[in-house]
């Protein structure tokens, strides 16, 4: 499975993946998912929001155990973020059959659409739509860099955008969702464990900062006469780093757009996107307010207008303790020696669904801690340990 999926959407120059929602690479990934379901005799379906499902047992019976992740990527992302969870889920189904384990509850593998938000700027679109966290009206406002709307992109890819929206009936049929994911950090490498369990997801969000200045000639405009938004933006980036360090939190300006974007022109507009995360919402709110305050203070000095708009926000996610603790025990078989439990600053579909469904997450060791990069990695032995752990969890939840 890994060999077949790995070339899809891989850029020949960077070595990273560009599997953006509702593009050709995404279509190829979705075809791969359907082929895997068909090869196993699983019932395949694509729901109203474009999420793909492969079922063992009757989907309508209720109290289903679901596992899976996503197949899309960030720009030039790594091979493991998302796909490892989907590949491991199908492998766990194979292992359950090899063990002769017969599910007594419906069991499904899912591929959630547009988890990374690389194309339309909002993460976890498929699970947000399904849970009702994203309304069809707001989804219709999402645009990519070329001005193509989400509904237009879905329609071009052969999906009916008129059908999107909350799907409470589907969620009501799910008794538990367990997502396996490559660790996006080095906690397991430091403890020496191949697999761990998530305790919580930090609250996180994305904010757009618009810096409005005045376009002018780079070679004839005196420095003291300039209203250069690039200076205000640069100062804000540095301020975000300093304030995040002091707060024990995270702040990243990872995307920027400049107008008119000429080498010999002072910009009229610099637009930067802040990704910020913290252990609790009070810290996160205070951090973003401090960054905005620093931006406005510098903007006043530079003659630059500053506008800030929150584009997305996900509150803290505490995974259901009963399910989390059961999963941790199933991994070792010893209630007195559960698997390591660790928090994460990364968002996931499991976090979005947690408001409606009991959810849990497994992490597979990442020896470098690098993620969202072609350098992302996990050793084969650890990946196989992840498959074994997920199989144990699914057997414990769905077969007993």
């Amino acid at each position: 499975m890994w060999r077949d999926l790995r070339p899809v959407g891989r850029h020949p120059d960077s070595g990273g993946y560009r599997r953006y929602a509702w593009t050709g690479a995404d279509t190829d990934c979705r075809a791969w998912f359907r082929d895997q379901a068909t090869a196993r005799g699983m019932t395949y379906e694509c729901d109203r929001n474009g999420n793909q499902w492969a079922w063992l047992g009757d989907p309508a019976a209720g109290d289903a155990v679901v596992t899976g992740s996503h197949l899309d990527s960030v720009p030039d992302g790594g091979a493991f973020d998302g796909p490892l969870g989907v590949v491991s889920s199908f492998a766990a189904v194979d292992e359950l059959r090899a063990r002769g384990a017969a599910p007594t509850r419906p069991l499904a593998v899912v591929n959630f659409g547009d988890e990374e938000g690389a194309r339309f700027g909002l993460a976890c679109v498929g699970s947000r739509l399904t849970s009702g966290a994203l309304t069809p009206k707001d989804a219709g406002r999402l645009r990519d860099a070329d001005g193509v709307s989400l509904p237009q992109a879905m329609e071009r890819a052969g999906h009916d955008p008129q059908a999107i929206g909350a799907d409470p009936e589907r969620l009501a049929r799910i008794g538990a969702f367990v997502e396996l994911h490559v660790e996006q950090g080095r906690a397991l490498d430091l403890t020496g464990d191949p697999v761990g369990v998530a305790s919580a997801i930090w609250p996180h969000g994305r904010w757009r900062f618009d810096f409005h200045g005045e376009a002018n000639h780079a070679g004839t405009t005196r420095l003291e006469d300039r209203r250069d938004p690039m200076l205000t933006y640069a100062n804000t980036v540095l301020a975000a780093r300093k304030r995040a360090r002091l707060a024990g939190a995270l702040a990243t300006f990872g995307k920027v757009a400049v107008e008119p974007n000429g080498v010999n022109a002072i910009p009229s507009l610099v637009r930067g996107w802040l990704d910020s995360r913290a252990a609790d919402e009070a810290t996160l709110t205070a951090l973003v307010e401090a960054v905005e305050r620093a931006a406005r203070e510098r903007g006043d000095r530079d003659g630059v207008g500053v506008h800030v708009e929150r584009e997305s926000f996900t509150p803290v996610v505490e995974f259901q303790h009963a399910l989390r603790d059961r999963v941790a025990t199933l991994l070792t078989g010893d209630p007195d020696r559960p698997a390591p439990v660790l928090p994460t600053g990364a968002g996931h579909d499991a976090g979005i669904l947690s408001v409606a469904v009991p959810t849990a997450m497994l992490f597979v060791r990442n020896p470098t801690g690098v993620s969202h990069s072609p350098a992302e990695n996990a050793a084969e032995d650890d990946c196989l340990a992840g498959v074994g752990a997920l199989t144990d969890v699914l057997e414990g939840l769905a077969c007993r």
Side-chain angles (χ1 to χ4, degrees):
M1 284 186 288
W2 198 255
R3 182 181 62 250
D4 293 341
L5 182 62
R6 190 158 190 167
V8 178
R10 192 172 193 180
H11 194 271
D13 296 331
S14 70
Y17 289 87
R18 300 181 181 181
R19 296 168 174 164
Y20 307 147
W22 307 109
T23 64
D26 185 54
T27 297
D28 291 344
C29 287
R30 296 168 69 83
W32 174 89
F33 183 95
R34 184 167 188 166
D35 289 346
Q36 296 303 318
T38 301
R40 289 168 175 76
M42 303 176 77
T43 301
Y44 170 81
E45 64 173 333
C46 180
D47 69 22
R48 60 192 297 183
N49 296 307
N51 306 308
Q52 296 179 287
W53 303 77
W55 288 92
L56 286 177
D58 181 7
D63 200 29
V65 176
V66 179
T67 185
S69 192
H70 63 94
L71 295 175
D72 66 313
S73 77
V74 299
D76 287 328
F80 294 82
D81 181 353
L84 180 62
V86 179
V87 170
S88 297
S89 296
F90 281 121
V93 169
D94 296 341
E95 178 62 16
L96 281 175
R97 286 171 163 167
R99 294 179 183 182
T104 56
R105 301 165 63 179
L107 180 64
V109 177
V110 62
N111 167 36
F112 283 108
D114 200 4
E115 193 270 355
E116 295 290 6
R119 183 175 181 186
F120 298 101
L122 179 65
C124 300
V125 169
S127 54
R128 286 182 191 271
L129 282 169
T130 299
S131 67
L134 176 64
T135 66
K137 183 177 180 180
D138 288 338
R141 296 191 182 104
L142 297 176
R143 298 283 190 279
D144 68 9
D146 296 320
V148 178
S149 71
L150 173 62
Q152 288 172 330
M154 296 177 78
E155 189 169 26
R156 291 174 185 176
H159 190 82
D160 180 12
Q162 299 300 318
I164 65 174
D167 199 347
E169 293 181 2
R170 177 174 299 275
L171 294 178
R173 299 202 303 261
I174 301 174
F177 174 61
V178 180
E179 181 174 3
L180 180 145
H181 204 280
V182 67
E183 186 190 5
Q184 295 167 296
R186 291 188 56 227
L188 292 175
D189 186 59
L190 295 174
T191 64
D193 296 287
V195 183
V197 180
S199 59
I201 298 176
W202 280 14
H204 56 279
R206 298 178 181 182
W207 289 260
R208 192 188 76 234
F209 282 64
D210 294 343
F211 303 91
H212 296 274
E214 181 180 59
N216 216 326
H217 197 294
T220 62
T221 310
R222 297 190 313 159
L223 294 180
E224 54 267 34
D225 291 338
R226 299 184 180 202
R227 295 174 51 217
D228 188 349
M230 188 64 77
L231 295 178
T232 315
Y233 167 71
N235 183 269
T236 303
V237 173
L238 296 175
R241 171 60 183 263
K242 178 179 180 180
R243 283 157 176 76
R245 178 174 55 81
L246 294 174
L250 299 169
T252 306
F253 276 96
K255 179 181 177 181
V256 61
V258 182
E259 296 178 10
N261 205 28
V263 175
N264 60 347
I266 299 167
S268 60
L269 171 67
V270 175
R271 178 169 285 154
W273 281 263
L274 171 68
D275 178 300
S276 193
R277 306 161 192 248
D280 58 80
E281 292 183 27
T283 301
L284 179 59
T285 298
L287 171 59
V288 175
E289 288 177 349
V291 175
E292 181 176 350
R293 189 162 53 248
R296 296 190 185 282
E297 290 173 356
R298 179 68 194 211
D300 289 341
R301 291 170 54 190
D302 296 333
V304 170
V306 177
H307 173 75
V308 180
E309 183 170 332
R310 189 179 78 180
E311 293 194 338
S312 68
F313 179 78
T314 302
V316 63
V317 173
E318 282 279 352
F319 290 111
Q320 188 193 65
H321 290 194
L323 179 60
R324 180 196 68 193
D325 294 345
R326 186 177 181 193
V327 166
T329 299
L330 286 169
L331 294 191
T332 64
D334 184 353
D336 297 322
R337 191 179 59 85
V341 179
L342 55 147
T344 178
H348 300 281
D349 291 308
I352 300 298
L353 296 183
S354 66
V355 298
V357 174
T359 60
M361 289 194 70
L362 302 180
F363 289 126
V364 172
R365 177 166 51 190
N366 178 346
T368 67
V370 175
S371 187
H372 284 187
S373 159
E376 185 178 83
N377 191 36
E380 183 175 339
D381 286 349
D382 287 347
C383 292
L384 293 175
V387 171
L390 181 59
T391 306
D392 291 343
V393 169
L394 296 181
E395 184 174 11
L397 295 178
C399 302
R400 297 174 185 170

